[in-house]
Amino acid sequence: MPKKLRNRNENFVAVDVGGTKIMAVVGTSGGTIVGRSRCSTPRDGDVKEVFHAIELAVGAAIKRAGLGAQDVAAIAVGIPGVVDYENGRILKTPNMPLTQAPLTEFLRERFGVPIVLDNDCNLGALGEAWMGAGRHAHSLFGIFVGTGIGSGFVQKRKLWRGARYAAGEIGHMVMGIGGPKCGCGNSGCLEAYASRTAVEREIREAVARGEATVLNELLGRDLSVIRSRALRAALDAKDALVTRVLEQVGHFLGAACLSVRHLLDPQRIILGGGVMEACGDFLMPRIRAALDADQMRSATDADELCPSRLGDYAVVVGGIALAARLCGPNPLKKYPDAELRILRSSGSSRG
Ligand SMILES: [Zn+2]
């Protein structure tokens, strides 16, 4: 853990830097969101543009909370990649241009407060452990399926980060030897089969082979970006191609959850992220079927597999917990029964 700081201020900023959007909130150590803001992640943007978008989102959230930077005790940022949490360094971001980018220095200079970085899915799991689907659980493994696939492991209210901060990279667990190339450079990773990026690739390849899909109408024949809600709409329209591709996603996620069970035996496996939010009712039964078919275990516990409860807010809730921890006691221990509250006055969710 980075050096502990003393600060009586109880407002913390948490940022979720995602592949498609950046969300910043101001929250208290008791779990109340008092300011929030959201913007698109600059697509194909360079480091400067992404930094600028993060700066704007943080500034807008603080403003909407009716505060200034001097009222904030610390800022926590969730990054989609491997992060040296002790030293605030981004080591590798396979799906974004932030590898080795000096975000800690940049934000400290702009806002003049302590900055702490962590892997976004670590924070998502921590958020679910505090106020989400994993509260009061002995241990939980959170898997987040979006542009990429990440995960975090929390046991006894603490994150397991590994010896080199790279634990929980389930997206890069090899599911198929010699399989498709992954954004990380390796082949056959879970992410290369079951992320939204993999789904986009499968769909584009099938369309190039001449397969029909309702997505062509929905997206005006531009399949360069296929968001989760377009996949949802295609499922609702009983689109054969999208249904088939998502069936495969379900199989791969099911197999991954089965491996998690055998490796760690967490009390809960929690599934979240944009793809799960949009298509969870289609995917969850398929994932559960993989656990139910496990020959090593007779039955799946009723609450062993569950959807994220915090949805879009999982990462920032974990971020608030991390920032609060930097300045005081672990809020998961101090406020174990905290409920997420989002004040109406915290502002519109887009900005
Ligand atoms: Zn990979």
Side-chain angles (χ1 to χ4, degrees):
M1 162 121 218
K3 201 165 143 268
K4 296 270 290 177
L5 305 154
R6 261 168 200 279
N7 196 319
R8 291 170 53 183
N9 201 321
E10 289 272 301
N11 296 303
F12 305 94
V13 173
V15 191
D16 177 7
V17 179
T20 55
K21 66 174 194 301
I22 294 168
M23 171 153 73
V25 305
V26 181
T28 67
S29 56
T32 302
I33 306 275
V34 296
R36 60 201 157 125
S37 127
R38 207 200 284 239
C39 64
S40 295
T41 307
R43 199 168 161 75
D44 305 319
D46 61 9
V47 178
K48 257 193 190 160
E49 287 174 68
V50 179
F51 275 20
H52 185 59
I54 296 171
E55 180 189 2
L56 287 181
V58 170
I62 293 174
K63 197 170 167 206
R64 283 179 190 157
L67 302 172
Q70 72 281 359
D71 304 313
V72 169
I75 300 176
V77 188
I79 299 288
V82 182
V83 174
D84 169 354
Y85 147 86
E86 307 272 349
N87 298 301
R89 305 243 152 269
I90 301 174
L91 301 179
K92 171 116 180 148
T93 50
N95 303 310
M96 279 193 109
L98 291 180
T99 298
Q100 304 291 344
L103 182 62
T104 299
E105 292 81 355
F106 174 83
L107 289 177
R108 199 190 289 134
E109 196 177 290
R110 290 297 187 285
F111 295 99
V113 300
I115 310 293
V116 59
L117 310 185
D118 206 337
N119 171 269
D120 56 350
C121 297
N122 278 354
L123 294 184
L126 191 63
E128 290 291 340
W130 185 19
M131 293 193 273
R135 73 167 14 174
H136 304 310
H138 158 278
S139 50
L140 76 88
F141 196 89
I143 303 176
F144 301 90
V145 186
T147 312
I149 300 178
S151 59
F153 181 47
V154 178
Q155 64 154 349
K156 295 183 181 165
R157 299 173 180 151
K158 283 178 85 173
L159 272 167
W160 173 260
R161 293 186 175 86
R164 296 163 198 84
Y165 322 107
E169 285 291 339
I170 199 172
H172 306 288
M173 182 164 79
V174 177
M175 302 294 285
I177 292 175
K181 193 93 172 156
C182 176
C184 73
N186 295 335
S187 301
C189 300
L190 175 62
E191 198 167 289
Y193 290 106
S195 65
R196 193 173 56 75
T197 312
V199 168
E200 286 177 336
R201 186 198 64 226
E202 292 275 332
I203 290 171
R204 281 196 295 265
E205 284 174 8
V207 169
R209 288 194 303 269
E211 267 196 69
T213 170
V214 70
L215 288 172
N216 270 327
E217 291 159 42
L218 292 172
L219 302 173
R221 303 210 158 263
D222 175 9
L223 301 183
S224 59
V225 179
I226 307 170
R227 299 252 195 262
S228 299
R229 45 175 192 279
L231 296 174
R232 169 79 260 168
L235 274 184
D236 290 341
K238 308 235 175 302
D239 186 80
L241 172 58
V242 171
T243 304
R244 191 183 75 229
V245 171
L246 287 176
E247 289 265 5
Q248 182 176 295
V249 167
H251 286 315
F252 274 96
L253 291 176
C257 288
L258 194 59
S259 298
V260 167
R261 166 192 276 182
H262 291 311
L263 196 63
L264 296 170
D265 187 25
Q267 188 178 352
R268 299 217 178 113
I269 299 174
I270 293 167
L271 284 145
V275 172
M276 294 306 302
E277 293 293 319
C279 307
D281 59 336
F282 179 87
L283 292 169
M284 278 304 248
R286 286 159 173 85
I287 297 166
R288 186 173 295 279
L291 291 184
D292 286 342
D294 186 1
Q295 299 298 303
M296 288 269 288
R297 275 259 296 270
S298 51
T300 306
D301 290 350
D303 67 348
E304 185 179 353
L305 184 73
C306 35
S308 149
R309 203 177 136 220
L310 301 179
D312 258 6
Y313 284 87
V315 174
V316 290
V317 167
I320 293 167
L322 186 71
R325 182 79 189 89
L326 189 67
C327 307
N330 184 353
L332 278 72
K333 290 183 182 161
K334 192 175 176 197
Y335 302 106
D337 299 312
E339 282 285 350
L340 176 63
R341 285 179 61 219
I342 300 165
L343 297 189
R344 273 165 166 274
S345 57
S346 61
S348 77
S349 64
R350 289 212 168 263

